[in-house]
Amino acid sequence: MGTAAAPRRFCRCACFCSENLYVARYGLHVRFRSEQQLRQDYGPILRSRGCVSPKDFQQLLGELEKEVERRQRLGQESAARKALIASSYHPARPDVYNSLQDVALAPEFLAAVEYSTSPGADLQGLLQRLETVSEEKRIYRLPVFTAPFCQALLEELEHFEQSDMPKGRPNTMNNYGVLLHELGLDERLVTPLRERFLQPLMALLYPEYRGWLDTHRAFVVKYAPGQDRELGCHYDNAELTLNVALGKAFTGGALYFGDLFQAPSALANPLEVEHVVGQGILHRGGQLHGARPLGTGERWNLVVWLRASAVRNRLCPMCCRKPDLVDDEGFGDGFTREEPATVDVCALI
């Protein structure tokens, strides 16, 4: 008798519906399980930030309950949007949906990846081929895409934004942007970027995740006057993050970095990093960071959260507990569990 290899089921942690709910009005991430818990855990800080009247608190309570319901429906609604887009949307730039080719990537990026895959490659050799933004914080930068590819991708994203297709917001902090898996760009663009190019780079820069980056979540965020202009301090639901400025022309909007989110003085003397179109910033997901207010123009960024199920299956990075797994669509939040192995019927004949 034989059995087939146990398939992996991608999941999210149940904390997704109760932890790290962002309240933009008060610039605060909260845990929400009940009204009593919310008052007990956050009453003083909420009052200090302007939530002072019973009406203020009831409005906040309603917003949090609505957000929890939205998160519970998120996977199914995202899958439905993806199916509708696949059947009804007509791209302006079909070429960006082709499989990722070297011609779309900056020569410096290709050279760094080629070195990373060569015999005897080491961290010091790689660091000569990119910019070290902060050795202490392990933040790096290098060109990723060519200018023509950035322009083509932006044209497609703007065309989609102006269409009547349904759009899922990237996360609770960004209200403008695109989820790349819904647009159909995950398989052709982001997966090969992760598997062929980012894996070997990250293996040298962050060897604790060598060979383990098996999923991702990718989205584009947009900052513009009258829309999102800045981003509050947060950390990512990822082991590692790539943040690439796609364009357009803009001033301001620098990233700032603190320490890892567990550190007691996490935002003391933050490090500021200016965006450069076409260049990507690499950092650990747990690094506290945010974006300063945009000055002028528009800024579009591709953000790729790189995830390692072998790491997060032991400890959820958002609730810092062993994950309570809930089945989800697609890659979920990068957690996995093995399904029961199936009997190989052919072996019984």
PDB file of all heavy atoms in Angstrom, residues 117-134:
ATOM      1  N   THR A 117      24.210  33.339  -6.626  1.00  0.00           N
ATOM      2  CA  THR A 117      24.063  31.936  -7.015  1.00  0.00           C
ATOM      3  C   THR A 117      25.380  31.313  -7.448  1.00  0.00           C
ATOM      4  O   THR A 117      25.414  30.147  -7.837  1.00  0.00           O
ATOM      5  CB  THR A 117      23.050  31.811  -8.169  1.00  0.00           C
ATOM      6  OG1 THR A 117      23.491  32.616  -9.274  1.00  0.00           O
ATOM      7  CG2 THR A 117      21.672  32.282  -7.731  1.00  0.00           C
ATOM      8  N   SER A 118      26.469  32.081  -7.400  1.00  0.00           N
ATOM      9  CA  SER A 118      27.767  31.568  -7.845  1.00  0.00           C
ATOM     10  C   SER A 118      28.452  30.792  -6.735  1.00  0.00           C
ATOM     11  O   SER A 118      28.202  31.032  -5.548  1.00  0.00           O
ATOM     12  CB  SER A 118      28.661  32.727  -8.298  1.00  0.00           C
ATOM     13  OG  SER A 118      28.960  33.586  -7.202  1.00  0.00           O
ATOM     14  N   PRO A 119      29.334  29.839  -7.081  1.00  0.00           N
ATOM     15  CA  PRO A 119      30.061  29.070  -6.063  1.00  0.00           C
ATOM     16  C   PRO A 119      30.913  30.002  -5.197  1.00  0.00           C
ATOM     17  O   PRO A 119      31.568  30.913  -5.698  1.00  0.00           O
ATOM     18  CB  PRO A 119      30.941  28.134  -6.897  1.00  0.00           C
ATOM     19  CG  PRO A 119      30.262  28.054  -8.235  1.00  0.00           C
ATOM     20  CD  PRO A 119      29.642  29.392  -8.453  1.00  0.00           C
ATOM     21  N   GLY A 120      30.875  29.770  -3.895  1.00  0.00           N
ATOM     22  CA  GLY A 120      31.693  30.559  -2.993  1.00  0.00           C
ATOM     23  C   GLY A 120      31.141  31.927  -2.648  1.00  0.00           C
ATOM     24  O   GLY A 120      31.810  32.722  -1.972  1.00  0.00           O
ATOM     25  N   ALA A 121      29.922  32.247  -3.108  1.00  0.00           N
ATOM     26  CA  ALA A 121      29.338  33.561  -2.795  1.00  0.00           C
ATOM     27  C   ALA A 121      29.171  33.706  -1.294  1.00  0.00           C
ATOM     28  O   ALA A 121      28.801  32.763  -0.601  1.00  0.00           O
ATOM     29  CB  ALA A 121      27.989  33.708  -3.491  1.00  0.00           C
ATOM     30  N   ASP A 122      29.462  34.910  -0.788  1.00  0.00           N
ATOM     31  CA  ASP A 122      29.277  35.165   0.634  1.00  0.00           C
ATOM     32  C   ASP A 122      28.700  36.564   0.835  1.00  0.00           C
ATOM     33  O   ASP A 122      28.562  37.345  -0.109  1.00  0.00           O
ATOM     34  CB  ASP A 122      30.581  34.994   1.414  1.00  0.00           C
ATOM     35  CG  ASP A 122      31.693  35.932   0.949  1.00  0.00           C
ATOM     36  OD1 ASP A 122      31.401  36.941   0.264  1.00  0.00           O
ATOM     37  OD2 ASP A 122      32.860  35.666   1.284  1.00  0.00           O
ATOM     38  N   LEU A 123      28.356  36.876   2.080  1.00  0.00           N
ATOM     39  CA  LEU A 123      27.704  38.142   2.378  1.00  0.00           C
ATOM     40  C   LEU A 123      28.580  39.330   1.999  1.00  0.00           C
ATOM     41  O   LEU A 123      28.088  40.295   1.397  1.00  0.00           O
ATOM     42  CB  LEU A 123      27.347  38.211   3.863  1.00  0.00           C
ATOM     43  CG  LEU A 123      26.742  39.526   4.356  1.00  0.00           C
ATOM     44  CD1 LEU A 123      25.443  39.840   3.618  1.00  0.00           C
ATOM     45  CD2 LEU A 123      26.508  39.491   5.859  1.00  0.00           C
ATOM     46  N   GLN A 124      29.852  39.295   2.328  1.00  0.00           N
ATOM     47  CA  GLN A 124      30.719  40.436   2.045  1.00  0.00           C
ATOM     48  C   GLN A 124      30.817  40.714   0.548  1.00  0.00           C
ATOM     49  O   GLN A 124      30.828  41.866   0.117  1.00  0.00           O
ATOM     50  CB  GLN A 124      32.112  40.201   2.645  1.00  0.00           C
ATOM     51  CG  GLN A 124      32.125  40.218   4.171  1.00  0.00           C
ATOM     52  CD  GLN A 124      31.473  41.466   4.742  1.00  0.00           C
ATOM     53  OE1 GLN A 124      31.775  42.586   4.321  1.00  0.00           O
ATOM     54  NE2 GLN A 124      30.568  41.267   5.701  1.00  0.00           N
ATOM     55  N   GLY A 125      30.868  39.663  -0.238  1.00  0.00           N
ATOM     56  CA  GLY A 125      30.906  39.854  -1.681  1.00  0.00           C
ATOM     57  C   GLY A 125      29.624  40.465  -2.206  1.00  0.00           C
ATOM     58  O   GLY A 125      29.643  41.332  -3.093  1.00  0.00           O
ATOM     59  N   LEU A 126      28.481  40.037  -1.646  1.00  0.00           N
ATOM     60  CA  LEU A 126      27.196  40.584  -2.078  1.00  0.00           C
ATOM     61  C   LEU A 126      27.065  42.053  -1.681  1.00  0.00           C
ATOM     62  O   LEU A 126      26.533  42.869  -2.444  1.00  0.00           O
ATOM     63  CB  LEU A 126      26.048  39.764  -1.493  1.00  0.00           C
ATOM     64  CG  LEU A 126      24.639  40.257  -1.793  1.00  0.00           C
ATOM     65  CD1 LEU A 126      24.388  40.332  -3.303  1.00  0.00           C
ATOM     66  CD2 LEU A 126      23.590  39.366  -1.129  1.00  0.00           C
ATOM     67  N   LEU A 127      27.539  42.401  -0.487  1.00  0.00           N
ATOM     68  CA  LEU A 127      27.412  43.777  -0.015  1.00  0.00           C
ATOM     69  C   LEU A 127      28.160  44.769  -0.901  1.00  0.00           C
ATOM     70  O   LEU A 127      27.834  45.961  -0.901  1.00  0.00           O
ATOM     71  CB  LEU A 127      27.902  43.889   1.431  1.00  0.00           C
ATOM     72  CG  LEU A 127      27.054  43.151   2.482  1.00  0.00           C
ATOM     73  CD1 LEU A 127      27.624  43.371   3.881  1.00  0.00           C
ATOM     74  CD2 LEU A 127      25.599  43.596   2.416  1.00  0.00           C
ATOM     75  N   GLN A 128      29.129  44.304  -1.655  1.00  0.00           N
ATOM     76  CA  GLN A 128      29.832  45.172  -2.603  1.00  0.00           C
ATOM     77  C   GLN A 128      28.966  45.500  -3.814  1.00  0.00           C
ATOM     78  O   GLN A 128      29.300  46.393  -4.589  1.00  0.00           O
ATOM     79  CB  GLN A 128      31.129  44.508  -3.059  1.00  0.00           C
ATOM     80  CG  GLN A 128      32.131  44.286  -1.937  1.00  0.00           C
ATOM     81  CD  GLN A 128      33.347  43.499  -2.391  1.00  0.00           C
ATOM     82  OE1 GLN A 128      33.621  43.384  -3.587  1.00  0.00           O
ATOM     83  NE2 GLN A 128      34.083  42.944  -1.430  1.00  0.00           N
ATOM     84  N   ARG A 129      27.855  44.793  -3.968  1.00  0.00           N
ATOM     85  CA  ARG A 129      27.018  44.933  -5.154  1.00  0.00           C
ATOM     86  C   ARG A 129      25.670  45.604  -4.848  1.00  0.00           C
ATOM     87  O   ARG A 129      24.798  45.657  -5.704  1.00  0.00           O
ATOM     88  CB  ARG A 129      26.798  43.554  -5.789  1.00  0.00           C
ATOM     89  CG  ARG A 129      28.079  42.970  -6.373  1.00  0.00           C
ATOM     90  CD  ARG A 129      27.970  41.474  -6.637  1.00  0.00           C
ATOM     91  NE  ARG A 129      29.107  40.984  -7.414  1.00  0.00           N
ATOM     92  CZ  ARG A 129      30.294  40.692  -6.883  1.00  0.00           C
ATOM     93  NH1 ARG A 129      30.497  40.821  -5.579  1.00  0.00           N
ATOM     94  NH2 ARG A 129      31.285  40.261  -7.651  1.00  0.00           N
ATOM     95  N   LEU A 130      25.505  46.059  -3.638  1.00  0.00           N
ATOM     96  CA  LEU A 130      24.291  46.800  -3.284  1.00  0.00           C
ATOM     97  C   LEU A 130      24.633  47.829  -2.216  1.00  0.00           C
ATOM     98  O   LEU A 130      25.760  47.913  -1.748  1.00  0.00           O
ATOM     99  CB  LEU A 130      23.177  45.843  -2.825  1.00  0.00           C
ATOM    100  CG  LEU A 130      23.498  44.757  -1.777  1.00  0.00           C
ATOM    101  CD1 LEU A 130      23.582  45.341  -0.383  1.00  0.00           C
ATOM    102  CD2 LEU A 130      22.431  43.667  -1.820  1.00  0.00           C
ATOM    103  N   GLU A 131      23.645  48.630  -1.843  1.00  0.00           N
ATOM    104  CA  GLU A 131      23.858  49.676  -0.846  1.00  0.00           C
ATOM    105  C   GLU A 131      23.392  49.187   0.523  1.00  0.00           C
ATOM    106  O   GLU A 131      22.270  48.704   0.674  1.00  0.00           O
ATOM    107  CB  GLU A 131      23.066  50.930  -1.225  1.00  0.00           C
ATOM    108  CG  GLU A 131      23.133  52.036  -0.189  1.00  0.00           C
ATOM    109  CD  GLU A 131      22.189  53.188  -0.475  1.00  0.00           C
ATOM    110  OE1 GLU A 131      21.613  53.233  -1.587  1.00  0.00           O
ATOM    111  OE2 GLU A 131      22.011  54.044   0.413  1.00  0.00           O
ATOM    112  N   THR A 132      24.257  49.316   1.516  1.00  0.00           N
ATOM    113  CA  THR A 132      23.868  49.020   2.887  1.00  0.00           C
ATOM    114  C   THR A 132      23.315  50.299   3.507  1.00  0.00           C
ATOM    115  O   THR A 132      24.057  51.245   3.781  1.00  0.00           O
ATOM    116  CB  THR A 132      25.062  48.508   3.715  1.00  0.00           C
ATOM    117  OG1 THR A 132      25.564  47.295   3.120  1.00  0.00           O
ATOM    118  CG2 THR A 132      24.641  48.213   5.152  1.00  0.00           C
ATOM    119  N   VAL A 133      22.019  50.348   3.713  1.00  0.00           N
ATOM    120  CA  VAL A 133      21.385  51.516   4.317  1.00  0.00           C
ATOM    121  C   VAL A 133      21.701  51.573   5.803  1.00  0.00           C
ATOM    122  O   VAL A 133      22.001  52.632   6.364  1.00  0.00           O
ATOM    123  CB  VAL A 133      19.863  51.487   4.081  1.00  0.00           C
ATOM    124  CG1 VAL A 133      19.169  52.628   4.821  1.00  0.00           C
ATOM    125  CG2 VAL A 133      19.553  51.559   2.591  1.00  0.00           C
ATOM    126  N   SER A 134      21.632  50.423   6.463  1.00  0.00           N
ATOM    127  CA  SER A 134      21.959  50.334   7.884  1.00  0.00           C
ATOM    128  C   SER A 134      22.470  48.932   8.174  1.00  0.00           C
ATOM    129  O   SER A 134      21.712  47.961   8.061  1.00  0.00           O
ATOM    130  CB  SER A 134      20.743  50.631   8.761  1.00  0.00           C
ATOM    131  OG  SER A 134      21.014  50.332  10.119  1.00  0.00           O
TER     132      SER A 134
END
